[in-house]
Amino acid sequence: SVVRKTTSGAPSGFSISPWPPAAVLATLLASDLCKDVNGQIIGARGSEIYLYNHPRPVRFLHHTGGWTPEQLADAIIPMLTERVAALNAVGATLVERYGGRWHNWVAACAPALYAQGDGLLERLVTEFPRFNDVSTWKGHQVSLQKLSQLGLWSLHRGLAPLGRTMLRDPEMCTAFADYIVPVALRVMGIFEYEATLEQRIMNGEVLPRDSEEEIEIRAHTIYATALLTDEVNERRTADGQLLIPQVDYRLWKSYHATHYPHHLTRTTMY
């Protein structure tokens, strides 16, 4: 328990804990009282404790057997350099065309993902190529668009409580093809890998970005999640229908901490 003591500087009727708030929080979380608490983001400041919503990781690095400082530097420095270059390019376009404000860009677009070239998704991947998540598979262009769709969907959901409609066609969103949703589908038995590919993933082998295997995993994730959403909605009432991103989130939230191996790819697209 936390012992509270009255100090001469405290207002009458109040007591001040001698413990720093972060120490109190760390002590509680390390105790048996919190043995079932996991995967939460909690902050402490002064007399206030914060429980945060769950953000999605924006980058993930894995190295079988753990990291040495040299290995981490070799992996993370190029990724950070690429990320900084991408953000600078995005910022330059915003400053040049939209006064440096995202809301000016949003206002210049049609309030939809697709609107004959004027939709938010269409313009985002055109005007800001960093978000254009397209791969070539056996001569065919495969549009995956993970980050672009996730950003627009998050904005759409964030504005909904304010009564504002960001997207008039949210049903056009696909799953956000990353590395967690595929492993969720794999663990649930919704899809499976060819035996050789399964072994490579289990062994922690890195699949090159835009390789046939990496593209197929992401594309099948989008397709399987769409089929899963259809099956779920057949069992729900007309006023309880789900959209694909909602099913995607359920999968991601349930399996983002799974210990089952997922595919590894060095990329800044997810």
Side-chain angles (χ1 to χ4, degrees):
S1 61
V2 177
V3 178
R4 302 175 66 85
K5 67 178 182 180
T6 303
T7 66
S8 58
S12 176
F14 289 85
S15 60
I16 297 178
S17 171
W19 301 92
V24 174
L25 181 58
T27 300
L28 174 62
L29 293 176
S31 72
D32 289 340
L33 293 173
C34 292
K35 62 183 177 62
D36 295 322
V37 177
N38 190 27
Q40 303 299 317
I41 304 174
I42 305 174
R45 182 184 66 182
S47 299
E48 298 173 326
I49 301 295
Y50 299 90
L51 177 63
Y52 291 89
N53 286 332
H54 285 203
R56 288 192 175 212
V58 297
R59 292 292 178 270
F60 175 85
L61 291 173
H62 172 89
H63 189 272
T64 303
W67 296 89
T68 66
E70 294 77 15
Q71 290 168 335
L72 182 58
D74 289 342
I76 202 170
I77 297 302
M79 184 173 290
L80 291 175
T81 300
E82 184 176 353
R83 180 171 173 78
V84 168
L87 291 174
N88 284 339
V90 168
T93 300
L94 280 177
V95 170
E96 180 181 346
R97 303 180 187 175
Y98 301 102
R101 298 289 186 269
W102 273 114
H103 68 81
N104 290 337
W105 175 80
V106 171
C109 301
L113 293 169
Y114 301 97
Q116 298 182 327
D118 196 39
L120 288 155
L121 181 59
E122 294 167 306
R123 289 183 56 172
L124 181 63
V125 300
T126 300
E127 298 182 50
F128 303 94
R130 181 270 173 276
F131 295 104
N132 193 24
D133 186 4
V134 176
S135 297
T136 301
W137 180 83
K138 297 183 178 181
H140 301 278
Q141 292 293 106
V142 181
S143 182
L144 300 162
Q145 308 301 1
K146 187 261 183 175
L147 292 177
S148 53
Q149 289 190 105
L150 177 58
L152 296 172
W153 170 257
S154 298
L155 190 57
H156 174 73
R157 294 289 291 176
L159 292 175
L162 302 178
R164 297 187 60 184
T165 300
M166 178 71 182
L167 302 173
R168 63 187 180 214
D169 58 351
E171 72 282 355
M172 297 299 292
C173 270
T174 72
F176 311 131
D178 58 5
Y179 60 91
I180 293 299
V181 179
V183 79
L185 296 169
R186 173 66 184 87
V187 172
M188 295 173 68
I190 294 175
F191 70 31
E192 61 184 29
Y193 298 121
E194 180 271 332
T196 302
L197 178 58
E198 173 89 2
Q199 192 60 50
R200 294 172 65 191
I201 293 173
M202 296 297 288
N203 290 340
E205 180 179 334
V206 175
L207 303 181
R209 175 179 172 179
D210 289 334
S211 62
E212 287 188 7
E213 296 90 343
E214 190 244 0
I215 297 170
E216 289 171 5
I217 289 173
R218 299 185 71 200
H220 279 88
T221 296
I222 291 173
Y223 183 55
T225 308
L227 294 180
L228 176 60
T229 304
D230 289 343
E231 291 292 329
V232 170
N233 283 334
E234 283 189 8
R235 293 159 172 79
R236 296 175 68 92
T237 60
D239 60 351
Q241 298 289 288
L242 297 177
L243 297 177
I244 291 174
Q246 293 172 305
V247 175
D248 174 283
Y249 177 71
R250 300 284 182 89
L251 296 172
W252 183 89
K253 185 175 185 295
S254 299
Y255 288 93
H256 76 279
T258 182
H259 295 293
Y260 197 90
H262 53 75
H263 80 276
L264 304 176
T265 296
R266 182 174 293 185
T267 177
T268 57
M269 286 299 178
Y270 57 97

